[in-house]
Amino acid sequence: MRYAFIIVLASACVLASASSAQVAPDRSYSWPSATAAVQAQTLEQRIPPPQGFTRVPVAPGSWGAWLRGLPMKPQGAPVLTFTGTPKWRQDVHVAVVDIDVGKRDLQQCADAIMRLRGEWLFAAGLLRDIAFNDTDGKRLRFSARRDQSYASFRKYMDYVFAYAGTYSLERELKPVALADISIGDVFIKGGFPGHAVLVADIVENAATGEKRFLLLQSYMPAQDMHVLRNPTSAERSPWYAASFDGDLVTPEWTFPSRALRRWPD
């Protein structure tokens, strides 16, 4: 009986470990809703490639891989503003990222992009690389803070949101040719107001070489980050052709192709 009890106990421990492994939070995403025990669908799982396309390869742990793993709110979730009320337009998105907006009207378009970049660097342990320019060009460094906890990081990001925006971010990023578009690049028009959208994923047709991409944005007032529909697509697809002529038309802003930017190395 003693040996039978040991076997049963060991089996119970194995099952408990397996169960814990299934619901363990993904520490690559540090905000509270993302570290819940049961993880939501990721961006990659929620939005399949168009027929004939496959996702372009990305290195594990890279900026692009991290963006593909963003947790999403349930299918059909509305875009809410920072006050908790629905955005006046609910026809521009196909999916909503499961990340907090904050309690103030701060995390708007460029702010959301800086938030995601900062979150990735924080998760990767690259704390000294978390830095953004303010409107006057001053470098705001997270490493200057004595407290390097996640709570301190969130307070730092709110501080950045208050003193940076599209005007500063456009000057901080470097221009990149549309033909070289990559996951994590940014279409941006600096100004007061301006706008910015993030290239959240890219797929390619191996037979034709054609590439398409997803766009993610926040907007004014501060609101849930969401994956955009393509308003020029008859199928209401979220995928945008990378070989477009003229301007990039999104549901709430139009960008020239030369507006593409990338984070400096």
Side-chain angles (χ1 to χ4, degrees):
M1 288 295 294
R2 179 187 176 200
Y3 294 110
F5 174 76
I6 293 172
I7 291 170
V8 170
L9 181 61
S11 299
C13 291
V14 169
L15 289 172
S17 298
S19 177
S20 297
Q22 290 172 358
V23 299
D26 187 341
R27 299 302 178 186
S28 297
Y29 306 91
S30 304
W31 53 94
S33 62
T35 55
V38 179
Q39 292 295 294
Q41 273 193 314
T42 65
L43 182 147
E44 182 175 11
Q45 293 167 336
R46 175 66 59 80
I47 305 177
Q51 186 174 1
F53 288 78
T54 57
R55 285 181 155 90
V56 299
V58 291
S62 66
W63 173 221
W66 188 88
L67 289 172
R68 279 184 179 162
L70 283 171
M72 310 305 289
K73 289 189 176 183
Q75 187 77 40
V79 174
L80 304 179
T81 71
F82 72 100
T83 65
T85 58
K87 176 180 177 175
W88 74 279
R89 287 192 65 178
Q90 295 292 328
D91 62 337
V92 306
H93 72 282
V94 297
V96 180
V97 182
D98 191 4
I99 186 171
D100 64 282
V101 182
K103 297 179 180 180
R104 300 163 60 193
D105 189 9
L106 291 174
Q107 191 172 281
Q108 299 182 2
C109 55
D111 311 295
I113 294 170
M114 291 186 285
R115 169 79 185 279
L116 293 178
R117 182 71 175 184
E119 290 279 0
W120 170 65
L121 292 169
F122 187 91
L126 302 173
L127 304 189
R128 296 188 65 83
D129 292 337
I130 302 175
F132 303 95
N133 293 344
D134 69 10
T135 300
D136 295 328
K138 180 182 177 182
R139 197 71 168 156
L140 306 177
R141 299 183 182 277
F142 177 59
S143 60
R145 294 190 166 224
R146 181 177 302 176
D147 183 357
Q148 299 284 284
S149 68
Y150 182 75
S152 178
F153 164 76
R154 277 297 289 117
K155 291 179 181 178
Y156 158 81
M157 288 308 308
D158 280 348
Y159 180 80
V160 170
F161 300 160
Y163 292 98
T166 57
Y167 179 86
S168 57
L169 187 59
E170 183 182 43
R171 285 153 181 77
E172 184 176 343
L173 304 180
K174 62 180 183 181
V176 61
L178 184 60
D180 297 325
I181 191 171
S182 181
I183 303 173
D185 288 349
V186 180
F187 286 96
I188 186 167
K189 172 63 174 69
F192 305 96
H195 192 44
V197 294
L198 179 70
V199 178
D201 205 352
I202 296 178
V203 295
E204 185 173 19
N205 185 310
T208 65
E210 180 188 356
K211 290 183 178 181
R212 297 183 186 178
F213 57 88
L214 293 177
L215 292 176
L216 184 155
Q217 75 165 20
S218 177
Y219 203 60
M220 299 175 290
Q223 58 197 245
D224 288 329
M225 301 181 201
H226 47 281
V227 180
L228 290 172
R229 294 189 183 278
N230 180 351
T232 67
S233 169
E235 298 82 19
R236 295 172 61 82
S237 166
W239 295 98
Y240 290 73
S243 58
F244 62 88
D245 293 324
D247 294 336
L248 172 66
V249 179
T250 74
E252 296 178 292
W253 202 273
T254 298
F255 300 90
S257 60
R258 64 180 181 278
L260 189 63
R261 299 287 189 274
R262 182 169 298 166
W263 301 93
D265 296 329

